[in-house]
């Protein structure tokens, strides 16, 4: 069976599985099954777990006045309950029903904020508590809501009357039973893991039997073992998922300790692996490298998580199971993707960016991947996921993996990545005073019979990044024929960096600090083209990219180099 046929078979098998899963979910939400979620109402909340996510009292005030800034969109309710407002944005709806915004009420610490939180929870119970359907009861959203209600129960229940107290606990119990019935059949990925985390929170925060507590711990441990790789990365290969899951696992570990319960060994081990993995993906300015769905970073969020990292020390240089390499020397950081795509069922946000890299110097990013606009329009996502949006090689203006599917498939699965590299061998080439690696991938082998090999080395105390890109055929011999083999080596430049040519026609990159980097490519002339940086905090920004273009039939490899100097030295030399 060909690779293309195998990918098609796997894709349609996934479609069938997801179709059956959604059918079962609709049945379980119907009136015949609803009796399964009724039962005894807990008497009280034993403990309110901590929430490590950043909170802003000003947002609590905005919500009080009917302005809900959620998921990158501001909606004004005009005095209505937000649960009655018809908002077509699905991300906003999921954020609303997920209730993470309760943390802002908690941060406000006022009776007004507590009363508003209680009123909004009461609205949700009245409008959605007895009707298991729609966005409000998506299992992933339900898991977020359970965690949020438990974490901020002290605020919601502050000054509450007995009737509301009982209604709150009754609704919470129904949601927990519903999620328990759905968790096993949820699609693989972070949402399924978060569902297990939510059930563990519930077992610790409410009065339950020892069997329920053990069952929740087993379910969590099994999912952690499946999803958290030995090097601490997530199976999706998305750095943001590591951050998001840690933001739930760390409070869960703390809650186990507060309740004098022994946490699952898998939880302890996962946290100890994930914290170094988070540091691995972090540049010196605190932001995470833009791979596989990673967008803009709010550095304070990472700092809040890493305060719990007791190991400290320098970040690791290898993430072999996740498929990434890191070079770090003299204030220069290089992070590169050297892995195969994630499994197809967790690849809806994965990118075709094999062998791409990012380079930062101090707190300034110079070479980047385009990243994603997390809250932007969906039509732009394919552009951000394409190989051309990454600092790597494209051949014949195509991506090394595909994610465009029929409307029917996209409506069920989203856009899983298929047909990417099957083999990405990588070897470190570190030696005295030099950090480096050499890696290759076969993402273009089936279509064009070509392989991309990239060699990177960081030397001279972090002042020189040298690279070589080779276009090879099987057996590592240069591919030479007359076919259409247009190769483009792309280096996307951060929009805050100035890019110009000096008197020697070299490309010079200057950041807001005193550093400047000179780019040279002796084998191929460097051109400057327009680009888009999707991962800006305020949304997409115009940027530029350095492009080396050539034909594989004429040139088998190109060498290039970024070398750092100081602006003051350059100015002094010009004066001299």
């Amino acid at each position: 069976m060909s690779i293309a046929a195998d990918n098609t078979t796997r894709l349609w098998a996934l479609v069938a599985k997801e179709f059956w899963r959604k059918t079962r979910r609709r049945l379980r939400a119907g009136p015949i099954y609803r009796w399964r979620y009724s039962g005894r109402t807990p008497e009280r909340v034993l403990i309110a777990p901590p929430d490590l996510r950043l909170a802003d009292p000003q947002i609590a005030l905005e919500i009080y006045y009917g302005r809900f800034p959620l998921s990158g969109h501001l909606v004004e309710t005009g005095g209505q309950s937000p649960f009655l407002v018809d908002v077509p944005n699905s991300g906003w709806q999921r954020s609303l029903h997920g209730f993470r915004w309760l943390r802002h009420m908690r941060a406000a610490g006022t009776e007004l904020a507590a009363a508003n939180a209680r009123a909004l929870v009461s609205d949700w119970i009245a409008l959605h508590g007895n009707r298991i359907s729609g966005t409000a009861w998506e299992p992933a959203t339900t898991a977020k809501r359970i965690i949020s209600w438990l974490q901020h129960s002290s605020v919601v229940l502050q000054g509450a009357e007995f009737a509301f107290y009982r209604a709150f606990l009754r609704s919470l119990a129904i949601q927990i039973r519903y999620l328990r019935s759905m968790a096993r059949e949820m699609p693989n990925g972070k949402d399924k893991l978060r569902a297990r985390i939510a059930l563990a929170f519930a077992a610790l925060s409410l009065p339950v039997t020892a069997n329920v507590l053990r069952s929740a711990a087993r379910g969590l441990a099994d999912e952690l073992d499946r999803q958290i790789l030995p090097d601490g990365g997530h199976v999706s290969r998305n750095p943001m998922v590591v951050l998001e899951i840690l933001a739930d696992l760390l409070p869960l570990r703390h809650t186990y300790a507060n309740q004098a319960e022994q946490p699952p060994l898998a939880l302890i081990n996962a946290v100890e692996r994930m914290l170094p993995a988070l540091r691995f993906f972090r540049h010196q300015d605190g932001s995470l490298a833009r791979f596989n769905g990673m967008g803009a970073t709010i550095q304070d969020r990472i700092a809040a998580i890493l305060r719990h990292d007791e190991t400290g020390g320098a970040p690791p240089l290898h993430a072999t199971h996740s498929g990434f390499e890191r070079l770090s020397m003299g204030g220069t950081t290089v992070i590169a993707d050297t892995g195969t795509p994630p499994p197809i069922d967790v690849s809806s946000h994965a990118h075709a960016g094999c062998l791409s890299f990012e380079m930062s110097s101090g707190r300034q990013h110079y070479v980047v991947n385009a990243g994603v606009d997390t809250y932007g329009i969906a039509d732009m996502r394919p552009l951000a996921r394409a190989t051309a949006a990454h600092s790597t090689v494209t051949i014949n203006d195509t991506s090394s993996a595909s994610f465009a599917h029929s409307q029917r498939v996209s409506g069920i699965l989203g856009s899983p990545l298929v047909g990417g590299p099957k083999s990405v061998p990588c070897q470190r080439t570190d030696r005295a005073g030099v950090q480096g690696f050499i890696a290759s991938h076969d993402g273009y082998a089936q279509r064009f019979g070509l392989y991309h090999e990239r060699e990177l080395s960081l030397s001279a105390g972090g002042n020189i990044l040298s690279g070589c890109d080779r276009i090879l055929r099987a057996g590592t011999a240069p591919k030479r024929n007359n076919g259409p083999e247009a190769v483009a080596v792309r280096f996307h430049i951060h929009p805050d960096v100035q890019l110009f040519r000096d008197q020697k026609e070299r490309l010079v990159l200057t950041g807001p600090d005193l550093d400047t980097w000179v780019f040279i490519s002796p084998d191929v002339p460097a051109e400057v083209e327009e680009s888009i940086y999707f991962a800006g905090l305020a949304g997409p920004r115009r940027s530029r990219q350095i492009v080396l273009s050539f034909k594989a039939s004429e040139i088998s490899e190109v060498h290039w180099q970024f070398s750092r100097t100081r602006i003051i030295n350059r100015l002094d030399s010009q004066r001299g």
Side-chain angles (χ1 to χ4, degrees), residues 213-253:
L213 186 59
R214 284 195 296 268
S215 177
R218 282 196 304 271
L220 173 63
D222 290 345
E223 206 57 46
L224 285 170
D225 288 340
R226 274 191 290 268
Q227 295 198 34
I228 305 304
L229 301 172
D231 57 22
H234 185 258
V235 67
S236 68
R237 306 187 68 235
N238 184 347
M240 178 57 81
V241 175
V242 177
L243 176 65
E244 285 291 321
I245 295 301
L246 274 172
D248 289 328
L249 289 182
L250 288 168
L252 181 60
R253 185 180 66 174

Side-chain angles (χ1 to χ4, degrees), residues 152-206:
H152 306 294
S153 56
S154 59
V155 176
V156 175
L157 299 176
Q158 178 182 327
E161 296 180 354
F162 181 75
F164 174 81
Y165 195 99
R166 295 294 293 172
F168 176 82
L169 291 174
R170 186 184 308 114
S171 177
L172 193 55
I174 291 172
Q175 294 174 56
I176 292 167
R177 296 187 189 104
Y178 167 75
L179 185 62
R180 191 178 295 133
S181 74
M182 300 299 298
R184 184 175 302 173
E185 297 180 6
M186 289 177 67
N188 291 329
K190 71 177 189 301
D191 290 337
K192 188 174 185 177
L193 177 53
R194 185 174 286 115
R196 291 300 182 184
I197 293 172
L199 294 174
F201 269 122
L204 290 166
S205 303
L206 300 173

Side-chain angles (χ1 to χ4, degrees), residues 283 285 287-291 294-295 297 333-337 351 353 355-361 363-372 384 386-393 454 465 489-497 509 531-536 541-546 560 562:
H283 288 279
D285 70 335
S287 64
L288 297 182
R290 287 147 286 254
F291 297 104
M294 182 68 210
T297 304
T333 300
V334 176
I335 305 174
D337 180 343
H351 290 192
L355 301 193
S356 65
F357 77 96
E358 294 195 332
M359 183 191 76
S360 61
S361 175
R363 299 183 61 83
Q364 178 57 48
H365 295 242
Y366 286 84
V367 180
V368 295
N369 294 319
V372 298
T387 303
H390 297 75
S391 293
T392 187
V393 165
R454 167 163 279 180
L465 176 65
V489 186
R490 302 178 187 276
F491 306 90
H492 292 270
I493 307 304
H494 193 278
D496 288 341
V497 171
L509 292 75
S531 183
I532 302 176
Y533 181 68
F534 292 103
R541 299 173 60 186
R542 293 182 61 182
S543 61
R544 288 182 289 178
Q545 58 180 313
I546 300 172
W560 47 265
F562 288 93

Side-chain angles (χ1 to χ4, degrees), residues 416-435:
L417 188 148
V418 297
K422 301 298 181 184
S423 175
V424 188
C426 179
Q427 181 180 356
R428 292 288 295 204
T429 58
D430 297 348
R431 58 188 187 276
V434 180
Q435 294 179 7

Side-chain angles (χ1 to χ4, degrees), residues 500 502-503 506 567-576:
F500 60 91
D502 65 7
Q503 296 176 351
R506 302 175 303 177
I567 291 179
I568 188 169
N569 292 338
R570 177 169 60 84
L571 293 176
D572 286 345
S573 64
Q574 288 179 352
R575 293 190 188 100

Side-chain angles (χ1 to χ4, degrees), residues 478-491:
K479 175 71 176 180
R480 294 185 181 277
N481 60 39
N482 296 320
E485 298 163 359
V487 179
V489 186
R490 302 178 187 276
F491 306 90

